[in-house]
Structure formats: C-alpha cells, structure tokens
Amino acid sequence: MSEPRILTEQRGHVLLIGLNRPEKRNAADFELLTGLAEAYGQLERDPELRVGLVYAVGDHFTGGLDLADIGPRIGADGISFVSDTGVDPWAVSGQQRTKPVVIAVQGTCLTFGIELILASDVAVAARSTRFGQIEVARGILPFGGATIRFPRAAGWGNAMRYILTGDLFDAEEAYRIGLVQEVVDDGAQFDAALSIAERIAAQAPLAVQAALANAFTAVREGDAVAEAGLQPALARLAASEDARIGLQAFLSRTPAEFVGR
C-alpha cells in the first residue's frame, strides 16, 4: 500500500502538513492537491489547531505540477480539486482560510510551490533553494494565484521578470523581492518555520485570526472596508476571555495561556 501524498501531524496547536511524494520531487498530482486541500480543511475545522506549517519530505519542496496527471483533468472550466470538506490552499476559490499558515521550502520550488508561498503568511527558505514560475514554458499560465499575488508581494517588474520568462532564481533573490521572509542554512528551514509557527500559536488565537482577517479584507476589499471593521473587531476581542487573560498576564508579568474564547 502506497504512502499518503500528504502527511499530517498535530504538534501542540500547530498542524504539520507535509508534501510526501519525494520520489517525484513532490510534483503535485491530483491526489496530492486533493489531500492538501483536505489538510487545510482540517486546520480550519479543528478548534485546537491555531497555525498550519507546510513542509516537504525529501530534498525538494516541489518540482511543480505533475502535468501528465493534471493536464488531462483540465476541462472547459479549468480544474477543481477541493471537496466540500477541503479548503483551497491557493485561496483562489471557495471557502477562505481563517488561520495562519507558515511554509518551509528547500531544494527545487517550482510553480505550484511558489503559489503556495504567495498564499501563505510567512515563508522560510533553505539557502540553496531554487525557485521558478515556469508555466509559460509549458504552454499554460499560473492558475494558483501567482498572477494576482506575485506582483503585490514583489512589485510588478520583479514579478513579471519571472512569470513571463520562466527563469529560475535563488533564495537570496526570493528574499530580496519579498517572496520569502527568512533564508537559513540548508536543513534548518523546518525548525526555523516551526519556531515562527509556535510563536504565532502562543498568541491569543482570536486576536491572531482577527488581525489576519482584517489584513485579508484590506487586500481583497480595500483599505476603507478594512478600516471600518477595526473598531467592531476590537470591541469583540476586548470582551473575550483571552483579553482578560492577556491583561492579567501583563499585570502579573507572567506568560499568558490563551484559551481561544
């Protein structure tokens, strides 16, 4: 019996989500995409889970899409791989996630891997990682959000430089243009990303989700809509049990143990 394409493990309040097709450089076939969407759905539904950490088994994060498997599935309306219990990890369709996602990449990180980074919140890369948005070299366009988010993250010229040429670039360039937030020695990327995920998970989860939601609103609906939601969100959070815990921790100079209520 073959191993699952996606591994999941709860570590405290963090859900580890592992791409597990190392013999194919974690190329994303339909089964992997479906499993990834289900893992995001698990993160969304479980109240004990506060943060997701996406990583990859093996030497490479991903060689991109497995077009031999994905290509024949692209119909007149594109391709759908998210079930009723899943959440689109690219965040371009259906239910949107409400919890943060951190991502750790290494080796080769092509196409769908860059789009996972762009759809996450914090990314850590191993120093030798090589990136490429190479869809135009395969006769298709990026359809997981790169055309939308890459220019926003890196600036128009930086994004078009790589989207339109398909050229590869290294981790230092990814850091320079804002695609990743930290570059670490090879082999250290998972621990560095986990440290960030655990720091996020230690904060008040309702406050983290509210901050993330307001930032999403600003990007998707504009600053004015996000600004209008700030004071109502603050009022709701101020009445929470976590706000009381946070105040008590401040007054007593002790660490807060938030409960998510």
PDB file of all heavy atoms in Angstrom, residues 83-124:
ATOM      1  N   SER A  83     -12.864  19.407  -2.203  1.00  0.00           N
ATOM      2  CA  SER A  83     -14.157  18.824  -1.839  1.00  0.00           C
ATOM      3  C   SER A  83     -14.898  19.751  -0.880  1.00  0.00           C
ATOM      4  O   SER A  83     -14.389  20.806  -0.487  1.00  0.00           O
ATOM      5  CB  SER A  83     -13.951  17.461  -1.182  1.00  0.00           C
ATOM      6  OG  SER A  83     -13.440  17.630   0.135  1.00  0.00           O
ATOM      7  N   ASP A  84     -16.076  19.326  -0.464  1.00  0.00           N
ATOM      8  CA  ASP A  84     -16.869  20.124   0.478  1.00  0.00           C
ATOM      9  C   ASP A  84     -16.190  20.263   1.835  1.00  0.00           C
ATOM     10  O   ASP A  84     -16.490  21.193   2.587  1.00  0.00           O
ATOM     11  CB  ASP A  84     -18.251  19.486   0.671  1.00  0.00           C
ATOM     12  CG  ASP A  84     -19.126  19.586  -0.571  1.00  0.00           C
ATOM     13  OD1 ASP A  84     -18.821  20.427  -1.438  1.00  0.00           O
ATOM     14  OD2 ASP A  84     -20.098  18.813  -0.678  1.00  0.00           O
ATOM     15  N   THR A  85     -15.281  19.351   2.168  1.00  0.00           N
ATOM     16  CA  THR A  85     -14.596  19.411   3.457  1.00  0.00           C
ATOM     17  C   THR A  85     -13.192  20.014   3.354  1.00  0.00           C
ATOM     18  O   THR A  85     -12.478  20.112   4.342  1.00  0.00           O
ATOM     19  CB  THR A  85     -14.488  18.005   4.084  1.00  0.00           C
ATOM     20  OG1 THR A  85     -13.827  17.128   3.167  1.00  0.00           O
ATOM     21  CG2 THR A  85     -15.870  17.454   4.402  1.00  0.00           C
ATOM     22  N   GLY A  86     -12.807  20.404   2.153  1.00  0.00           N
ATOM     23  CA  GLY A  86     -11.480  20.958   1.943  1.00  0.00           C
ATOM     24  C   GLY A  86     -11.492  22.476   1.856  1.00  0.00           C
ATOM     25  O   GLY A  86     -12.549  23.110   1.780  1.00  0.00           O
ATOM     26  N   VAL A  87     -10.305  23.045   1.871  1.00  0.00           N
ATOM     27  CA  VAL A  87     -10.106  24.478   1.684  1.00  0.00           C
ATOM     28  C   VAL A  87      -9.005  24.652   0.650  1.00  0.00           C
ATOM     29  O   VAL A  87      -7.948  24.015   0.744  1.00  0.00           O
ATOM     30  CB  VAL A  87      -9.708  25.173   3.005  1.00  0.00           C
ATOM     31  CG1 VAL A  87      -9.298  26.620   2.763  1.00  0.00           C
ATOM     32  CG2 VAL A  87     -10.841  25.106   4.009  1.00  0.00           C
ATOM     33  N   ASP A  88      -9.250  25.488  -0.336  1.00  0.00           N
ATOM     34  CA  ASP A  88      -8.293  25.716  -1.408  1.00  0.00           C
ATOM     35  C   ASP A  88      -6.991  26.296  -0.833  1.00  0.00           C
ATOM     36  O   ASP A  88      -6.982  27.408  -0.315  1.00  0.00           O
ATOM     37  CB  ASP A  88      -8.882  26.696  -2.429  1.00  0.00           C
ATOM     38  CG  ASP A  88      -7.975  26.922  -3.626  1.00  0.00           C
ATOM     39  OD1 ASP A  88      -6.849  26.388  -3.639  1.00  0.00           O
ATOM     40  OD2 ASP A  88      -8.404  27.639  -4.550  1.00  0.00           O
ATOM     41  N   PRO A  89      -5.874  25.559  -0.899  1.00  0.00           N
ATOM     42  CA  PRO A  89      -4.617  26.075  -0.339  1.00  0.00           C
ATOM     43  C   PRO A  89      -4.077  27.271  -1.101  1.00  0.00           C
ATOM     44  O   PRO A  89      -3.247  28.018  -0.567  1.00  0.00           O
ATOM     45  CB  PRO A  89      -3.668  24.876  -0.422  1.00  0.00           C
ATOM     46  CG  PRO A  89      -4.238  24.020  -1.500  1.00  0.00           C
ATOM     47  CD  PRO A  89      -5.713  24.204  -1.445  1.00  0.00           C
ATOM     48  N   TRP A  90      -4.518  27.454  -2.348  1.00  0.00           N
ATOM     49  CA  TRP A  90      -4.128  28.626  -3.127  1.00  0.00           C
ATOM     50  C   TRP A  90      -5.038  29.830  -2.860  1.00  0.00           C
ATOM     51  O   TRP A  90      -4.738  30.936  -3.289  1.00  0.00           O
ATOM     52  CB  TRP A  90      -4.175  28.309  -4.620  1.00  0.00           C
ATOM     53  CG  TRP A  90      -3.075  27.450  -5.109  1.00  0.00           C
ATOM     54  CD1 TRP A  90      -1.783  27.426  -4.678  1.00  0.00           C
ATOM     55  CD2 TRP A  90      -3.154  26.486  -6.157  1.00  0.00           C
ATOM     56  NE1 TRP A  90      -1.053  26.504  -5.401  1.00  0.00           N
ATOM     57  CE2 TRP A  90      -1.863  25.912  -6.305  1.00  0.00           C
ATOM     58  CE3 TRP A  90      -4.183  26.040  -6.994  1.00  0.00           C
ATOM     59  CZ2 TRP A  90      -1.583  24.918  -7.256  1.00  0.00           C
ATOM     60  CZ3 TRP A  90      -3.908  25.062  -7.926  1.00  0.00           C
ATOM     61  CH2 TRP A  90      -2.625  24.502  -8.064  1.00  0.00           C
ATOM     62  N   ALA A  91      -6.151  29.583  -2.178  1.00  0.00           N
ATOM     63  CA  ALA A  91      -7.096  30.654  -1.822  1.00  0.00           C
ATOM     64  C   ALA A  91      -7.595  31.432  -3.037  1.00  0.00           C
ATOM     65  O   ALA A  91      -7.722  32.660  -2.994  1.00  0.00           O
ATOM     66  CB  ALA A  91      -6.467  31.609  -0.806  1.00  0.00           C
ATOM     67  N   VAL A  92      -7.887  30.714  -4.115  1.00  0.00           N
ATOM     68  CA  VAL A  92      -8.450  31.381  -5.285  1.00  0.00           C
ATOM     69  C   VAL A  92      -9.895  30.956  -5.547  1.00  0.00           C
ATOM     70  O   VAL A  92     -10.521  31.430  -6.499  1.00  0.00           O
ATOM     71  CB  VAL A  92      -7.596  31.118  -6.550  1.00  0.00           C
ATOM     72  CG1 VAL A  92      -6.243  31.768  -6.423  1.00  0.00           C
ATOM     73  CG2 VAL A  92      -7.469  29.637  -6.855  1.00  0.00           C
ATOM     74  N   SER A  93     -10.436  30.084  -4.690  1.00  0.00           N
ATOM     75  CA  SER A  93     -11.819  29.655  -4.875  1.00  0.00           C
ATOM     76  C   SER A  93     -12.392  29.160  -3.550  1.00  0.00           C
ATOM     77  O   SER A  93     -11.645  28.740  -2.663  1.00  0.00           O
ATOM     78  CB  SER A  93     -11.913  28.526  -5.911  1.00  0.00           C
ATOM     79  OG  SER A  93     -11.242  27.366  -5.447  1.00  0.00           O
ATOM     80  N   GLY A  94     -13.722  29.216  -3.438  1.00  0.00           N
ATOM     81  CA  GLY A  94     -14.417  28.617  -2.313  1.00  0.00           C
ATOM     82  C   GLY A  94     -14.123  29.270  -0.973  1.00  0.00           C
ATOM     83  O   GLY A  94     -13.754  30.447  -0.882  1.00  0.00           O
ATOM     84  N   GLN A  95     -14.265  28.472   0.082  1.00  0.00           N
ATOM     85  CA  GLN A  95     -14.056  28.953   1.442  1.00  0.00           C
ATOM     86  C   GLN A  95     -12.617  29.409   1.640  1.00  0.00           C
ATOM     87  O   GLN A  95     -11.674  28.760   1.205  1.00  0.00           O
ATOM     88  CB  GLN A  95     -14.373  27.831   2.442  1.00  0.00           C
ATOM     89  CG  GLN A  95     -14.123  28.198   3.898  1.00  0.00           C
ATOM     90  CD  GLN A  95     -14.316  27.011   4.835  1.00  0.00           C
ATOM     91  OE1 GLN A  95     -14.698  25.925   4.402  1.00  0.00           O
ATOM     92  NE2 GLN A  95     -14.052  27.212   6.112  1.00  0.00           N
ATOM     93  N   GLN A  96     -12.449  30.535   2.286  1.00  0.00           N
ATOM     94  CA  GLN A  96     -11.123  31.065   2.564  1.00  0.00           C
ATOM     95  C   GLN A  96     -10.692  30.679   3.973  1.00  0.00           C
ATOM     96  O   GLN A  96     -11.501  30.655   4.899  1.00  0.00           O
ATOM     97  CB  GLN A  96     -11.127  32.589   2.424  1.00  0.00           C
ATOM     98  CG  GLN A  96     -11.616  33.090   1.074  1.00  0.00           C
ATOM     99  CD  GLN A  96     -10.712  32.666  -0.073  1.00  0.00           C
ATOM    100  OE1 GLN A  96      -9.562  33.073  -0.138  1.00  0.00           O
ATOM    101  NE2 GLN A  96     -11.230  31.860  -0.991  1.00  0.00           N
ATOM    102  N   ARG A  97      -9.425  30.396   4.146  1.00  0.00           N
ATOM    103  CA  ARG A  97      -8.933  30.025   5.477  1.00  0.00           C
ATOM    104  C   ARG A  97      -8.968  31.232   6.414  1.00  0.00           C
ATOM    105  O   ARG A  97      -8.891  32.391   5.974  1.00  0.00           O
ATOM    106  CB  ARG A  97      -7.526  29.465   5.388  1.00  0.00           C
ATOM    107  CG  ARG A  97      -6.475  30.450   4.924  1.00  0.00           C
ATOM    108  CD  ARG A  97      -5.089  29.813   4.895  1.00  0.00           C
ATOM    109  NE  ARG A  97      -4.117  30.693   4.240  1.00  0.00           N
ATOM    110  CZ  ARG A  97      -3.457  31.654   4.852  1.00  0.00           C
ATOM    111  NH1 ARG A  97      -3.645  31.864   6.142  1.00  0.00           N
ATOM    112  NH2 ARG A  97      -2.593  32.409   4.199  1.00  0.00           N
ATOM    113  N   THR A  98      -9.046  30.939   7.705  1.00  0.00           N
ATOM    114  CA  THR A  98      -9.059  31.996   8.717  1.00  0.00           C
ATOM    115  C   THR A  98      -7.873  31.890   9.666  1.00  0.00           C
ATOM    116  O   THR A  98      -7.729  32.735  10.553  1.00  0.00           O
ATOM    117  CB  THR A  98     -10.358  31.936   9.545  1.00  0.00           C
ATOM    118  OG1 THR A  98     -10.388  30.697  10.281  1.00  0.00           O
ATOM    119  CG2 THR A  98     -11.588  32.048   8.665  1.00  0.00           C
ATOM    120  N   LYS A  99      -7.041  30.856   9.496  1.00  0.00           N
ATOM    121  CA  LYS A  99      -5.907  30.635  10.399  1.00  0.00           C
ATOM    122  C   LYS A  99      -4.594  30.784   9.634  1.00  0.00           C
ATOM    123  O   LYS A  99      -4.521  30.489   8.445  1.00  0.00           O
ATOM    124  CB  LYS A  99      -6.011  29.243  11.032  1.00  0.00           C
ATOM    125  CG  LYS A  99      -7.266  29.064  11.879  1.00  0.00           C
ATOM    126  CD  LYS A  99      -7.374  27.657  12.444  1.00  0.00           C
ATOM    127  CE  LYS A  99      -8.666  27.473  13.221  1.00  0.00           C
ATOM    128  NZ  LYS A  99      -8.806  26.099  13.762  1.00  0.00           N
ATOM    129  N   PRO A 100      -3.542  31.238  10.315  1.00  0.00           N
ATOM    130  CA  PRO A 100      -2.274  31.488   9.643  1.00  0.00           C
ATOM    131  C   PRO A 100      -1.606  30.211   9.140  1.00  0.00           C
ATOM    132  O   PRO A 100      -1.763  29.138   9.724  1.00  0.00           O
ATOM    133  CB  PRO A 100      -1.417  32.142  10.739  1.00  0.00           C
ATOM    134  CG  PRO A 100      -2.371  32.573  11.789  1.00  0.00           C
ATOM    135  CD  PRO A 100      -3.522  31.625  11.726  1.00  0.00           C
ATOM    136  N   VAL A 101      -0.822  30.380   8.085  1.00  0.00           N
ATOM    137  CA  VAL A 101      -0.026  29.285   7.524  1.00  0.00           C
ATOM    138  C   VAL A 101       1.409  29.766   7.330  1.00  0.00           C
ATOM    139  O   VAL A 101       1.651  30.819   6.736  1.00  0.00           O
ATOM    140  CB  VAL A 101      -0.599  28.800   6.178  1.00  0.00           C
ATOM    141  CG1 VAL A 101       0.363  27.817   5.507  1.00  0.00           C
ATOM    142  CG2 VAL A 101      -1.959  28.157   6.383  1.00  0.00           C
ATOM    143  N   VAL A 102       2.351  28.984   7.863  1.00  0.00           N
ATOM    144  CA  VAL A 102       3.782  29.200   7.677  1.00  0.00           C
ATOM    145  C   VAL A 102       4.282  28.105   6.754  1.00  0.00           C
ATOM    146  O   VAL A 102       3.757  26.986   6.758  1.00  0.00           O
ATOM    147  CB  VAL A 102       4.520  29.166   9.036  1.00  0.00           C
ATOM    148  CG1 VAL A 102       6.021  29.370   8.852  1.00  0.00           C
ATOM    149  CG2 VAL A 102       3.941  30.214   9.983  1.00  0.00           C
ATOM    150  N   ILE A 103       5.299  28.404   5.953  1.00  0.00           N
ATOM    151  CA  ILE A 103       5.762  27.424   4.975  1.00  0.00           C
ATOM    152  C   ILE A 103       7.290  27.364   4.978  1.00  0.00           C
ATOM    153  O   ILE A 103       7.951  28.387   5.154  1.00  0.00           O
ATOM    154  CB  ILE A 103       5.203  27.770   3.575  1.00  0.00           C
ATOM    155  CG1 ILE A 103       5.431  26.656   2.562  1.00  0.00           C
ATOM    156  CG2 ILE A 103       5.730  29.086   3.063  1.00  0.00           C
ATOM    157  CD1 ILE A 103       4.573  26.813   1.306  1.00  0.00           C
ATOM    158  N   ALA A 104       7.837  26.158   4.835  1.00  0.00           N
ATOM    159  CA  ALA A 104       9.282  25.940   4.792  1.00  0.00           C
ATOM    160  C   ALA A 104       9.628  25.249   3.481  1.00  0.00           C
ATOM    161  O   ALA A 104       9.051  24.209   3.161  1.00  0.00           O
ATOM    162  CB  ALA A 104       9.733  25.080   5.970  1.00  0.00           C
ATOM    163  N   VAL A 105      10.559  25.821   2.715  1.00  0.00           N
ATOM    164  CA  VAL A 105      10.880  25.262   1.404  1.00  0.00           C
ATOM    165  C   VAL A 105      12.373  24.993   1.277  1.00  0.00           C
ATOM    166  O   VAL A 105      13.199  25.631   1.934  1.00  0.00           O
ATOM    167  CB  VAL A 105      10.406  26.193   0.260  1.00  0.00           C
ATOM    168  CG1 VAL A 105       8.913  26.425   0.357  1.00  0.00           C
ATOM    169  CG2 VAL A 105      11.154  27.522   0.281  1.00  0.00           C
ATOM    170  N   GLN A 106      12.698  24.040   0.393  1.00  0.00           N
ATOM    171  CA  GLN A 106      14.083  23.667   0.142  1.00  0.00           C
ATOM    172  C   GLN A 106      14.210  23.070  -1.245  1.00  0.00           C
ATOM    173  O   GLN A 106      13.206  22.747  -1.874  1.00  0.00           O
ATOM    174  CB  GLN A 106      14.566  22.647   1.191  1.00  0.00           C
ATOM    175  CG  GLN A 106      14.121  21.212   0.983  1.00  0.00           C
ATOM    176  CD  GLN A 106      12.734  20.915   1.513  1.00  0.00           C
ATOM    177  OE1 GLN A 106      12.056  21.806   2.017  1.00  0.00           O
ATOM    178  NE2 GLN A 106      12.309  19.653   1.404  1.00  0.00           N
ATOM    179  N   GLY A 107      15.473  22.946  -1.698  1.00  0.00           N
ATOM    180  CA  GLY A 107      15.718  22.298  -2.981  1.00  0.00           C
ATOM    181  C   GLY A 107      15.068  23.042  -4.135  1.00  0.00           C
ATOM    182  O   GLY A 107      15.260  24.240  -4.313  1.00  0.00           O
ATOM    183  N   THR A 108      14.274  22.321  -4.906  1.00  0.00           N
ATOM    184  CA  THR A 108      13.533  22.901  -6.024  1.00  0.00           C
ATOM    185  C   THR A 108      12.151  23.332  -5.548  1.00  0.00           C
ATOM    186  O   THR A 108      11.469  22.581  -4.862  1.00  0.00           O
ATOM    187  CB  THR A 108      13.387  21.869  -7.157  1.00  0.00           C
ATOM    188  OG1 THR A 108      14.694  21.499  -7.629  1.00  0.00           O
ATOM    189  CG2 THR A 108      12.572  22.417  -8.303  1.00  0.00           C
ATOM    190  N   CYS A 109      11.754  24.538  -5.930  1.00  0.00           N
ATOM    191  CA  CYS A 109      10.409  25.041  -5.589  1.00  0.00           C
ATOM    192  C   CYS A 109       9.845  25.738  -6.820  1.00  0.00           C
ATOM    193  O   CYS A 109      10.113  26.918  -7.063  1.00  0.00           O
ATOM    194  CB  CYS A 109      10.478  26.005  -4.402  1.00  0.00           C
ATOM    195  SG  CYS A 109       8.859  26.638  -3.873  1.00  0.00           S
ATOM    196  N   LEU A 110       9.072  24.985  -7.597  1.00  0.00           N
ATOM    197  CA  LEU A 110       8.548  25.485  -8.859  1.00  0.00           C
ATOM    198  C   LEU A 110       7.038  25.698  -8.798  1.00  0.00           C
ATOM    199  O   LEU A 110       6.346  25.098  -7.990  1.00  0.00           O
ATOM    200  CB  LEU A 110       8.877  24.519  -9.992  1.00  0.00           C
ATOM    201  CG  LEU A 110      10.354  24.190 -10.225  1.00  0.00           C
ATOM    202  CD1 LEU A 110      10.506  23.227 -11.403  1.00  0.00           C
ATOM    203  CD2 LEU A 110      11.173  25.449 -10.445  1.00  0.00           C
ATOM    204  N   THR A 111       6.551  26.534  -9.649  1.00  0.00           N
ATOM    205  CA  THR A 111       5.137  26.782  -9.980  1.00  0.00           C
ATOM    206  C   THR A 111       4.209  26.721  -8.775  1.00  0.00           C
ATOM    207  O   THR A 111       4.122  27.684  -8.027  1.00  0.00           O
ATOM    208  CB  THR A 111       4.679  25.802 -11.094  1.00  0.00           C
ATOM    209  OG1 THR A 111       4.734  24.450 -10.652  1.00  0.00           O
ATOM    210  CG2 THR A 111       5.528  25.952 -12.334  1.00  0.00           C
ATOM    211  N   PHE A 112       3.560  25.578  -8.576  1.00  0.00           N
ATOM    212  CA  PHE A 112       2.567  25.499  -7.515  1.00  0.00           C
ATOM    213  C   PHE A 112       3.177  25.750  -6.143  1.00  0.00           C
ATOM    214  O   PHE A 112       2.513  26.226  -5.226  1.00  0.00           O
ATOM    215  CB  PHE A 112       1.832  24.149  -7.614  1.00  0.00           C
ATOM    216  CG  PHE A 112       1.925  23.228  -6.436  1.00  0.00           C
ATOM    217  CD1 PHE A 112       0.964  23.261  -5.441  1.00  0.00           C
ATOM    218  CD2 PHE A 112       2.960  22.295  -6.332  1.00  0.00           C
ATOM    219  CE1 PHE A 112       1.029  22.382  -4.364  1.00  0.00           C
ATOM    220  CE2 PHE A 112       3.028  21.423  -5.266  1.00  0.00           C
ATOM    221  CZ  PHE A 112       2.058  21.478  -4.263  1.00  0.00           C
ATOM    222  N   GLY A 113       4.491  25.495  -6.000  1.00  0.00           N
ATOM    223  CA  GLY A 113       5.162  25.767  -4.738  1.00  0.00           C
ATOM    224  C   GLY A 113       5.259  27.254  -4.458  1.00  0.00           C
ATOM    225  O   GLY A 113       5.033  27.704  -3.326  1.00  0.00           O
ATOM    226  N   ILE A 114       5.618  28.046  -5.472  1.00  0.00           N
ATOM    227  CA  ILE A 114       5.644  29.499  -5.300  1.00  0.00           C
ATOM    228  C   ILE A 114       4.249  30.009  -4.974  1.00  0.00           C
ATOM    229  O   ILE A 114       4.077  30.892  -4.120  1.00  0.00           O
ATOM    230  CB  ILE A 114       6.191  30.181  -6.565  1.00  0.00           C
ATOM    231  CG1 ILE A 114       7.677  29.850  -6.730  1.00  0.00           C
ATOM    232  CG2 ILE A 114       5.981  31.689  -6.510  1.00  0.00           C
ATOM    233  CD1 ILE A 114       8.311  30.448  -7.974  1.00  0.00           C
ATOM    234  N   GLU A 115       3.242  29.439  -5.611  1.00  0.00           N
ATOM    235  CA  GLU A 115       1.875  29.894  -5.353  1.00  0.00           C
ATOM    236  C   GLU A 115       1.413  29.519  -3.950  1.00  0.00           C
ATOM    237  O   GLU A 115       0.634  30.259  -3.332  1.00  0.00           O
ATOM    238  CB  GLU A 115       0.943  29.352  -6.435  1.00  0.00           C
ATOM    239  CG  GLU A 115       1.244  30.014  -7.768  1.00  0.00           C
ATOM    240  CD  GLU A 115       0.424  29.492  -8.923  1.00  0.00           C
ATOM    241  OE1 GLU A 115       0.373  28.256  -9.112  1.00  0.00           O
ATOM    242  OE2 GLU A 115      -0.153  30.314  -9.644  1.00  0.00           O
ATOM    243  N   LEU A 116       1.897  28.409  -3.407  1.00  0.00           N
ATOM    244  CA  LEU A 116       1.613  28.098  -2.008  1.00  0.00           C
ATOM    245  C   LEU A 116       2.269  29.121  -1.088  1.00  0.00           C
ATOM    246  O   LEU A 116       1.675  29.545  -0.082  1.00  0.00           O
ATOM    247  CB  LEU A 116       2.111  26.695  -1.658  1.00  0.00           C
ATOM    248  CG  LEU A 116       1.288  25.509  -2.138  1.00  0.00           C
ATOM    249  CD1 LEU A 116       1.929  24.206  -1.676  1.00  0.00           C
ATOM    250  CD2 LEU A 116      -0.145  25.590  -1.635  1.00  0.00           C
ATOM    251  N   ILE A 117       3.504  29.530  -1.407  1.00  0.00           N
ATOM    252  CA  ILE A 117       4.173  30.566  -0.624  1.00  0.00           C
ATOM    253  C   ILE A 117       3.362  31.851  -0.662  1.00  0.00           C
ATOM    254  O   ILE A 117       3.106  32.482   0.374  1.00  0.00           O
ATOM    255  CB  ILE A 117       5.594  30.823  -1.155  1.00  0.00           C
ATOM    256  CG1 ILE A 117       6.504  29.614  -0.895  1.00  0.00           C
ATOM    257  CG2 ILE A 117       6.186  32.081  -0.525  1.00  0.00           C
ATOM    258  CD1 ILE A 117       7.870  29.739  -1.530  1.00  0.00           C
ATOM    259  N   LEU A 118       2.960  32.258  -1.853  1.00  0.00           N
ATOM    260  CA  LEU A 118       2.217  33.509  -2.014  1.00  0.00           C
ATOM    261  C   LEU A 118       0.878  33.485  -1.291  1.00  0.00           C
ATOM    262  O   LEU A 118       0.373  34.532  -0.875  1.00  0.00           O
ATOM    263  CB  LEU A 118       2.012  33.796  -3.498  1.00  0.00           C
ATOM    264  CG  LEU A 118       3.272  34.152  -4.294  1.00  0.00           C
ATOM    265  CD1 LEU A 118       2.993  34.072  -5.786  1.00  0.00           C
ATOM    266  CD2 LEU A 118       3.763  35.543  -3.910  1.00  0.00           C
ATOM    267  N   ALA A 119       0.306  32.284  -1.126  1.00  0.00           N
ATOM    268  CA  ALA A 119      -0.976  32.159  -0.442  1.00  0.00           C
ATOM    269  C   ALA A 119      -0.816  31.889   1.043  1.00  0.00           C
ATOM    270  O   ALA A 119      -1.810  31.747   1.759  1.00  0.00           O
ATOM    271  CB  ALA A 119      -1.810  31.049  -1.082  1.00  0.00           C
ATOM    272  N   SER A 120       0.438  31.788   1.521  1.00  0.00           N
ATOM    273  CA  SER A 120       0.681  31.600   2.950  1.00  0.00           C
ATOM    274  C   SER A 120       0.982  32.955   3.581  1.00  0.00           C
ATOM    275  O   SER A 120       0.854  34.002   2.933  1.00  0.00           O
ATOM    276  CB  SER A 120       1.835  30.617   3.174  1.00  0.00           C
ATOM    277  OG  SER A 120       3.065  31.195   2.784  1.00  0.00           O
ATOM    278  N   ASP A 121       1.402  32.950   4.847  1.00  0.00           N
ATOM    279  CA  ASP A 121       1.617  34.208   5.553  1.00  0.00           C
ATOM    280  C   ASP A 121       3.082  34.498   5.842  1.00  0.00           C
ATOM    281  O   ASP A 121       3.497  35.661   5.826  1.00  0.00           O
ATOM    282  CB  ASP A 121       0.813  34.203   6.855  1.00  0.00           C
ATOM    283  CG  ASP A 121      -0.667  33.987   6.584  1.00  0.00           C
ATOM    284  OD1 ASP A 121      -1.247  34.789   5.835  1.00  0.00           O
ATOM    285  OD2 ASP A 121      -1.233  32.993   7.081  1.00  0.00           O
ATOM    286  N   VAL A 122       3.865  33.469   6.120  1.00  0.00           N
ATOM    287  CA  VAL A 122       5.300  33.625   6.376  1.00  0.00           C
ATOM    288  C   VAL A 122       6.019  32.449   5.723  1.00  0.00           C
ATOM    289  O   VAL A 122       5.588  31.305   5.877  1.00  0.00           O
ATOM    290  CB  VAL A 122       5.624  33.649   7.889  1.00  0.00           C
ATOM    291  CG1 VAL A 122       7.117  33.886   8.102  1.00  0.00           C
ATOM    292  CG2 VAL A 122       4.811  34.707   8.619  1.00  0.00           C
ATOM    293  N   ALA A 123       7.116  32.738   5.005  1.00  0.00           N
ATOM    294  CA  ALA A 123       7.849  31.680   4.317  1.00  0.00           C
ATOM    295  C   ALA A 123       9.323  31.715   4.702  1.00  0.00           C
ATOM    296  O   ALA A 123       9.939  32.786   4.773  1.00  0.00           O
ATOM    297  CB  ALA A 123       7.712  31.820   2.804  1.00  0.00           C
ATOM    298  N   VAL A 124       9.885  30.524   4.923  1.00  0.00           N
ATOM    299  CA  VAL A 124      11.300  30.346   5.238  1.00  0.00           C
ATOM    300  C   VAL A 124      11.907  29.452   4.161  1.00  0.00           C
ATOM    301  O   VAL A 124      11.324  28.419   3.813  1.00  0.00           O
ATOM    302  CB  VAL A 124      11.499  29.702   6.623  1.00  0.00           C
ATOM    303  CG1 VAL A 124      12.975  29.458   6.901  1.00  0.00           C
ATOM    304  CG2 VAL A 124      10.876  30.568   7.715  1.00  0.00           C
TER     305      VAL A 124
END
